[in-house]
Amino acid sequence: MILSTTKELRLHIPSNAIDEISSLQGILDNSEKDFLRDKLGDSLYNRLCEYYLTISPEDFFMAVSNGEHSKQPWMQLLLMAQRMVTYDAMSRFAYTQALSINGAGINMASSDDYGTASKDLLDKSVQGYKREAMVSLNQMLVMLEGWARKMETPAPIAEADTTEPLPTEKEGETSPTEPEDEQHKAIEEISVLWQESQYYYLHHDLLIATCADLQHYLDIYESREKFIRLLPDLHFIQDEYISEAIGEDTVQHLLHTTDPNDKPLLRKVRRLMVAHLEERTTILTIDKARRAAAHNEAIALRTSVLRLMEMRKAVDAANNTPTDKPSTNTTDSTGKGYENNQPDSKIFVSPLLY
C-alpha cells in the first residue's frame, strides 16, 4: 500500500470527510493493483511500496505541505501515484458508497449532516474522478519521461579548472553537491526500474517510438496512456503495411540511422503509418469521412515513399565509391572505343563530335 492515512487522502480530495481510512483500504488496494501497477511496472511499483514503508506518513504530509517533497524524487513519484490511485478509487467508490447493505436488503445511504446527492450529481462526480485520474496518470508519465530523457543525455564534460583549490571541508560538514548526487541516484534508479514497464516512453522497435513522435503527426493531446493503447495498431501497421511496402531491411535501417539524409524518408514513412492508423484504429474517435480521406492519403503516401526510395537509389548509384564505380574511360585495353549497352554497364558515353 502507498496510502494509509486520511491526511494523505486530504492532499488529493480536500472535501472528503472520511474518518477511517480502513473503510477505503480494499478499494485503494484494487486501484493500486489495477490502475497503477502496470503503469510503473512490477519492479518500480514494488520499490515504491518499499520506500513508503521507510517514511512516516506524517513527515510525508508535512513535506508536501511545505514543498520540501520537490527535492526528493521518490516523494514526487509517491505523490503522483497516490493522486492517481485516489481519484480512481473514488470513481469506483462513489456508487457503492451511496448504498447501504443491511439485514433487510440494500437501501440508499443517508446522513443527518449532509443532503443526499442526486443521481445526476453522482454521475458527474464519478466522471470527474475518472477524468482527474487520467490527468494524474498523464502527469506522472510525463514526469517519468522527463527523468528518463535526462538520464539518457550525457553530462557535459567540465572544462579544466585553473583556479586555486577551495579549502578542504571540515569533518562533519556536508558537501553542497551531495543533495544533487542523491537526487541523481534516485532518478537513475527510478528510470532503470521503469524501463521494465510497457508504459516506458521509448519503444525502440517502432518507427514512431514515443508519444511526442506521434504528436508531431496526429493530435492525441499528448496523452501517454492513449499512445500506449495505440501500440498494437502501430505494430500491426509497421509489420504488415510498412515492411511490405519498403522492405524489412529499410525499416531496420530507419530504426537505427542517425544520418540526416534519412530524415525526409523517415518523415514520409511516419505520415504513411499515421494515415493507416487513422484508417484502422478504434482507439481514436475518427468519423467516416476522415477514415476515407486517410485511406486515400495512405495510397498517395505509399506511392510518394516508393518514388523517394527510387530517387535515393539513383543518387546512391551515381555516388558510389571509386572501387564500386564503373570505369569512365572511353577506351578499353584493346584501344577500341567504349561500347554502350554492354552487360552491367551503368553509363552511356556519347560519341565524340570532332
Side-chain angles (χ1 to χ4, degrees):
M1 295 290 292
I2 60 169
L3 195 155
S4 59
T5 67
T6 55
K7 274 192 172 183
E8 293 170 282
L9 190 65
R10 199 164 288 116
L11 287 172
H12 313 289
I13 305 181
S15 62
N16 86 84
I18 297 173
D19 297 322
E20 294 291 338
I21 197 71
S22 57
S23 63
L24 282 176
Q25 289 290 357
I27 297 173
L28 289 170
D29 186 60
N30 282 344
S31 289
E32 280 190 32
K33 302 298 192 298
D34 186 53
F35 187 57
L36 173 66
R37 185 169 187 157
D38 63 329
K39 312 308 185 296
L40 297 178
D42 288 345
S43 296
L44 182 54
Y45 170 75
N46 292 334
R47 178 67 181 86
L48 183 63
C49 291
E50 291 173 5
Y51 170 76
Y52 184 70
L53 294 176
T54 66
I55 63 173
S56 163
E58 287 288 337
D59 292 342
F60 174 66
F61 176 82
M62 290 303 300
V64 173
S65 299
N66 60 31
E68 287 297 317
H69 75 289
S70 62
K71 302 176 183 178
Q72 302 289 335
W74 281 107
M75 280 194 178
Q76 293 179 60
L77 179 59
L78 177 60
L79 182 66
M80 290 288 191
Q82 282 187 348
R83 188 169 298 156
M84 277 179 57
V85 169
T86 299
Y87 282 121
D88 183 69
M90 289 300 102
S91 69
R92 300 167 184 252
F93 174 76
Y95 285 126
T96 55
Q97 182 65 9
L99 302 176
S100 174
I101 302 176
N102 51 67
I106 300 177
N107 306 98
M108 287 292 296
S110 62
S111 170
D112 295 334
D113 300 327
Y114 303 95
T116 303
S118 66
K119 182 181 182 304
D120 183 59
L121 184 58
L122 189 60
D123 289 342
K124 288 182 178 179
S125 68
V126 169
Q127 292 306 313
Y129 289 138
K130 289 180 178 179
R131 182 171 57 253
E132 290 304 313
M134 298 308 297
V135 170
S136 301
L137 166 60
N138 202 57
Q139 289 176 346
M140 186 188 74
L141 293 177
V142 169
M143 181 182 71
L144 288 170
E145 179 178 331
W147 287 347
R149 288 181 183 274
K150 183 178 180 181
M151 290 299 100
E152 292 172 357
T153 304
I157 300 175
E159 296 182 1
D161 189 0
T162 59
T163 60
E164 295 183 4
L166 295 174
T168 306
E169 295 174 9
K170 295 180 181 179
E171 186 177 354
E173 290 184 350
T174 302
S175 168
T177 61
E178 283 184 6
E180 295 182 4
D181 290 342
E182 291 299 320
Q183 290 180 31
H184 183 86
K185 289 178 182 178
I187 290 174
E188 184 177 27
E189 181 183 6
I190 290 170
S191 299
V192 169
L193 293 174
W194 189 43
Q195 290 182 23
E196 299 178 20
S197 169
Q198 63 171 330
Y199 279 77
Y200 186 66
Y201 86 101
L202 183 60
H203 298 267
H204 293 281
D205 57 341
L206 278 175
L207 294 171
I208 299 179
T210 69
C211 176
D213 289 339
L214 181 59
Q215 185 67 33
H216 283 305
Y217 303 95
L218 182 65
D219 186 9
I220 59 172
Y221 304 98
E222 298 186 355
S223 171
R224 271 65 183 172
E225 186 270 344
K226 189 166 290 185
F227 174 72
I228 296 300
R229 293 169 61 201
L230 288 170
L231 287 178
D233 281 329
L234 291 172
H235 278 291
F236 179 88
I237 290 166
Q238 181 170 301
D239 293 341
E240 302 299 328
Y241 297 156
I242 305 303
S243 294
E244 189 272 337
I246 66 176
E248 183 62 29
D249 290 343
T250 304
V251 169
Q252 292 303 315
H253 173 75
L254 291 176
L255 284 172
H256 302 100
T257 184
T258 57
D259 187 349
N261 294 325
D262 290 323
K263 288 185 177 180
L265 178 59
L266 179 59
R267 283 197 297 268
K268 279 188 176 292
V269 171
R270 284 175 170 175
R271 289 194 179 100
L272 177 57
M273 289 183 68
V274 170
H276 282 304
L277 182 65
E278 290 185 280
E279 183 184 2
R280 66 167 272 118
T281 188
T282 58
I283 303 300
L284 305 176
T285 302
I286 301 174
D287 59 38
K288 187 176 181 180
R290 178 55 205 155
R291 289 185 187 275
H295 174 77
N296 294 333
E297 288 174 6
I299 295 175
L301 283 166
R302 178 187 170 105
T303 302
S304 179
V305 166
L306 296 178
R307 185 187 305 118
L308 179 59
M309 290 182 64
E310 289 300 320
M311 291 173 60
R312 285 167 57 91
K313 287 180 181 178
V315 172
D316 290 343
N319 295 331
N320 275 338
T321 58
T323 56
D324 294 331
K325 287 182 179 179
S327 174
T328 56
N329 185 7
T330 57
T331 60
D332 57 19
S333 59
T334 63
K336 295 182 179 180
Y338 180 85
E339 296 183 11
N340 292 310
N341 301 324
Q342 296 299 309
D344 299 325
S345 174
K346 296 183 179 180
I347 62 174
F348 179 86
V349 179
S350 300
L352 297 176
L353 302 179
Y354 59 87

